[in-house]
Amino acid sequence: MSDKKRIVSGMRPTGPLHLGHYYGVIANWIKLQEEYDCYFFVADWHALTSEYANPTKIKDFVPGLVKDWVAAGLDPEKCVIFQQSMVKEHAELHLLLSMTTPLGWLERCPTYKEQKTELVQKELNTYGFLGYPVLMATDILMYKPCAVPVGKDQLPHLELTREIARRFNHLNKTELLPEPEDMLTEESKLLGLDGRKMSKSYGNSIMLSEPMDELMPKLRGMKTDENRLRKNDPGDPKVCNLYPYHKLMTDPAKLPEIQEGCRNATWGCVDCKKLLMKSMEEFLTPLHERRAACTDERVQEILEAGNKKARIVAQQTMEEIREVMNFNF
């Protein structure tokens, strides 16, 4: 058993990951796996909350998500990678915690209100959608982590997890379930190719698995500083959609030259994009190579090993849960 402190996090399998996912989530996970006992799970049951009418595509997305993780740098030897639905104890604890979670706690959840407003094309008046924060709390509390890496938008969910843990502990006169701290992660500073939030639904994303020959034309059409109508118009890297990509992917020694060339109009946007194409190819090529080496058989091996490790912890937690509830028949 590891003597490192434990953290837990997961992602829904809804399609290929893009650079926004990498810099907003995965890059942080890669650092954390060196310092913590990390449990990262494919949240396929969570995907059902909005994709319940077409669950078959979730199954197709699961291997791709694991491949993207491994390609990006997650190491199954350093962290536990598992599939939520393959650890059935999650369903049991979700049921038990849902019995004690007040309805008002779920109805006041900001994400619940926002997504019902935004996803008007889907019927979301379901128990599963309302109750998914309880399932999220289950995913966390099952492994008794010290902290959870989250973005600011997920802080209300984590606070609800703590409230659920406190209520369970109070009702059962125990201190079994911890109240994990938030491990706040920086939001990805990358916007999409058109300057809007990077999103698969907008068609403005750069996928981690995207071949370079398909990516190059997209980069050529990328939005830059709107004030630079001609090459000799001075620009401002601070308002250019392209420059944040350079800050993350180009050799830092080149950044002053890029800034000066933009402000003095000695560099055109085409020059800037050519350099970015080179930087992006250097960044993505190793990812593509690792992804190609991660076959479907390898994904199965990773998940089987991770599921086994996760089940051991989950079974122990459920034995303790049943005991404090006097439900260990």
Side-chain angles (χ1 to χ4, degrees):
M1 183 159 176
S2 175
D3 57 357
K4 294 180 179 179
K5 291 183 178 180
R6 182 176 294 160
I7 64 168
V8 178
S9 194
M11 293 181 72
R12 298 192 307 161
T14 57
L17 299 186
H18 53 60
L19 284 177
H21 293 123
Y22 178 85
Y23 286 109
V25 179
I26 306 299
N28 186 48
W29 285 7
I30 294 168
K31 295 176 185 175
L32 293 173
Q33 71 179 351
E34 304 292 340
E35 305 172 39
Y36 292 88
D37 181 23
C38 294
Y39 280 65
F40 299 129
F41 64 94
V42 179
D44 51 346
W45 273 338
H46 276 293
L48 278 172
T49 58
S50 58
E51 301 298 335
Y52 59 84
N54 190 14
T56 55
K57 66 181 183 180
I58 296 174
K59 186 175 183 179
D60 296 332
F61 287 148
V62 169
L65 182 59
V66 175
K67 289 180 181 181
D68 279 345
W69 284 357
V70 172
L74 287 187
D75 185 347
E77 299 300 319
K78 297 179 179 179
C79 62
V80 177
I81 296 174
F82 69 100
Q83 187 174 346
Q84 180 190 36
S85 67
M86 291 295 98
V87 184
K88 306 304 183 184
E89 288 77 9
H90 284 238
E92 182 181 0
L93 184 54
H94 174 228
L95 171 69
L96 297 177
L97 294 180
S98 71
M99 296 299 180
T100 62
T101 303
L103 194 59
W105 289 8
L106 302 176
E107 290 175 329
R108 79 183 187 210
C109 180
T111 309
Y112 172 72
K113 298 175 184 177
E114 290 169 8
Q115 293 204 355
K116 280 201 70 174
T117 302
E118 292 177 5
L119 302 178
V120 292
Q121 73 277 18
K122 295 186 178 181
E123 174 53 64
L124 296 178
N125 289 311
T126 63
Y127 165 75
F129 186 73
L130 177 65
Y132 81 87
V134 184
L135 182 56
M136 187 179 293
T138 294
D139 300 328
I140 295 168
L141 298 173
M142 183 71 80
Y143 301 93
K144 301 180 183 177
C146 68
V148 181
V150 292
K152 288 182 180 179
D153 60 326
Q154 295 174 307
L155 288 176
H157 287 290
L158 187 57
E159 180 54 35
L160 180 55
T161 296
R162 289 192 281 258
E163 289 177 341
I164 289 172
R166 281 195 292 270
R167 184 170 172 82
F168 177 90
N169 289 342
H170 172 73
L171 291 173
N172 294 285
K173 300 178 176 57
T174 183
E175 295 182 357
L176 178 61
L177 297 182
E179 296 182 30
E181 297 293 322
D182 60 84
M183 187 178 284
L184 202 60
T185 58
E186 283 190 43
E187 293 182 25
S188 173
K189 294 180 172 58
L190 287 184
L191 294 175
L193 296 170
D194 58 0
R196 295 184 293 172
K197 177 182 177 182
M198 188 175 288
S199 171
K200 286 173 282 191
S201 61
Y202 292 158
N204 65 357
S205 302
I206 296 173
M207 303 302 173
L208 299 183
S209 57
E210 196 162 4
M212 291 307 301
D213 59 348
E214 295 179 14
L215 181 56
M216 294 304 186
K218 293 169 67 172
L219 291 178
R220 292 188 189 102
M222 185 176 182
K223 181 179 178 181
T224 54
D225 184 349
E226 294 179 336
N227 294 319
R228 297 202 70 183
L229 301 178
R230 294 170 295 276
K231 182 177 178 178
N232 58 355
D233 290 333
D236 183 357
K238 292 181 180 178
V239 300
C240 180
N241 188 44
L242 192 149
Y243 186 65
Y245 286 78
H246 277 305
K247 289 176 68 176
L248 290 169
M249 309 179 85
T250 298
D251 181 354
K254 293 285 292 183
L255 297 183
E257 182 181 351
I258 295 171
Q259 293 179 32
E260 182 179 351
C262 179
R263 294 192 177 105
N264 297 333
T266 55
W267 275 48
C269 293
V270 172
D271 301 313
C272 212
K273 288 177 180 178
K274 285 181 179 178
L275 177 59
L276 179 60
M277 289 177 193
K278 180 181 177 183
S279 300
M280 195 165 291
E281 185 170 16
E282 291 174 353
F283 172 78
L284 287 177
T285 296
L287 271 71
H288 293 169
E289 291 172 352
R290 287 194 293 267
R291 199 179 200 281
C294 190
T295 62
D296 289 341
E297 291 75 17
R298 177 56 181 149
V299 169
Q300 187 174 353
E301 292 173 0
I302 291 169
L303 288 177
E304 285 179 354
N307 294 341
K308 183 177 180 180
K309 292 177 183 177
R311 277 192 212 106
I312 292 172
V313 178
Q315 288 168 358
Q316 177 63 37
T317 298
M318 289 314 303
E319 287 179 9
E320 296 168 348
I321 292 279
R322 297 184 202 109
E323 184 175 353
V324 300
M325 291 182 68
N326 198 28
F327 230 72
N328 52 342
F329 296 104

